[in-house]
């Protein structure tokens, strides 16, 4: 088996394991609420307002990156939504 095949098998196994584990982190309600609240058109505008690179928002939306303290604080500062409410939005669809 080649190194490439081993890597592909490992990635496939990680994706299967990730799909099975329950996650309470659901970023779409958070990002969608920010876009709606700040009257933005899309993720690109959200990136500009939050002053982050587009891959950051993309990774958050696709659940490859959690919302860290720095970006959470920036979301709060730019939207005036309380931090507690922002955190609750990431769990919104789990309740």
């Amino acid at each position: 088996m080649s190194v490439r095949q081993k890597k592909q098998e490992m990635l496939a196994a990680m994706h299967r394991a990730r799909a099975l584990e329950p996650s309470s982190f659901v970023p779409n309600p958070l990002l969608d609420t920010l876009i709606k609240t700040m009257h933005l058109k899309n993720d690109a505008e959200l990136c500009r307002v939050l002053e982050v690179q587009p891959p950051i928002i993309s990774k958050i939306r696709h659940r490859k990156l959690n919302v860290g303290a720095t970006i959470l604080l920036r979301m709060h500062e730019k939207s005036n939504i309380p931090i507690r409410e922002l955190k609750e939005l990431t769990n919104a669809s789990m309740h």
Side-chain angles (χ1 to χ4, degrees):
M1 183 181 297
S2 73
V3 172
R4 185 177 189 176
Q5 288 172 323
K6 286 181 183 179
K7 184 177 179 181
Q8 287 175 336
E9 280 188 21
M10 186 184 307
L11 286 172
M14 287 181 0
H15 287 296
R16 285 192 303 272
R18 187 176 294 153
L20 294 176
E21 71 182 29
S23 174
S24 62
F25 176 66
V26 184
N28 290 342
L30 170 64
L31 298 176
D32 294 341
T33 298
L34 287 168
I35 289 170
K36 184 178 177 183
T37 302
M38 294 190 284
H39 308 289
L40 305 174
K41 291 182 182 178
N42 52 34
D43 286 353
E45 282 193 17
L46 182 61
C47 292
R48 284 191 285 278
V49 169
L50 296 178
E51 300 172 14
V52 298
Q53 295 296 313
I56 301 295
I57 297 299
S58 178
K59 286 178 182 177
I60 290 171
R61 189 170 288 282
H62 292 98
R63 298 171 65 174
K64 294 181 180 176
L65 181 68
N66 285 332
V67 177
T70 303
I71 195 160
L72 186 65
L73 185 58
R74 193 169 294 170
M75 289 173 173
H76 162 69
E77 289 172 343
K78 300 293 183 176
S79 69
N80 292 320
I81 298 173
I83 291 177
R84 180 176 299 232
E85 188 175 329
L86 292 171
K87 285 176 147 183
E88 288 172 357
L89 284 169
T90 63
N91 297 328
S93 68
M94 299 303 287
H95 295 299

